[in-house]
Amino acid sequence: MLLQGSKATERPQRTTGVIVTPVEPAHEPAVPQPELLEKAHVYPPLTWPKPTVGQVLAEGLGGMSKTVLILLIFGAVLIGTAMGAALVLSGIIHGLGFDPAGGY
């Protein structure tokens, strides 16, 4: 049924009563008192040695040198793989009877 109008007095009246029953809250378990809880572990405060400028610089250079070495090795492997593929491809082309050097 569509409600007509916007004021409460213009809306149709409800013909049946609404029965409201109170809802009892759920019983929650009792919260233990703080003195009944186990004693918390006491840990010493976190401490760490403060590095010197030389230690930080040495560690940074060591990390950079490792990275540069890895990049150089990766580049050498990549170039070697490309040269190997070029030799195989040129061998196949030469085996088929084509001479790519004649085009230069």
Side-chain angles (χ1 to χ4, degrees):
M1 177 168 136
L2 296 175
L3 299 176
Q4 310 246 337
S6 60
K7 297 180 184 176
T9 56
E10 296 176 1
R11 294 186 188 139
Q13 297 296 321
R14 186 179 296 237
T15 57
T16 59
V18 176
I19 300 172
V20 178
T21 57
V23 177
E24 294 183 20
H27 296 289
E28 296 181 10
V31 178
Q33 299 300 323
E35 64 268 5
L36 299 178
L37 294 175
E38 292 182 22
K39 275 193 156 183
H41 295 285
V42 178
Y43 296 105
L46 295 175
T47 58
W48 53 88
K50 294 185 178 185
T52 63
V53 174
Q55 290 172 337
V56 171
L57 186 62
E59 185 177 327
L61 289 177
M64 286 190 302
S65 65
K66 288 178 188 175
T67 303
V68 169
L69 182 64
I70 289 171
L71 287 174
L72 287 175
I73 291 173
F74 180 73
V77 168
L78 189 64
I79 290 172
T81 304
M83 289 179 68
L87 286 173
V88 169
L89 186 61
S90 65
I92 292 173
I93 290 176
H94 185 69
L96 292 175
F98 296 110
D99 187 18
Y104 290 112

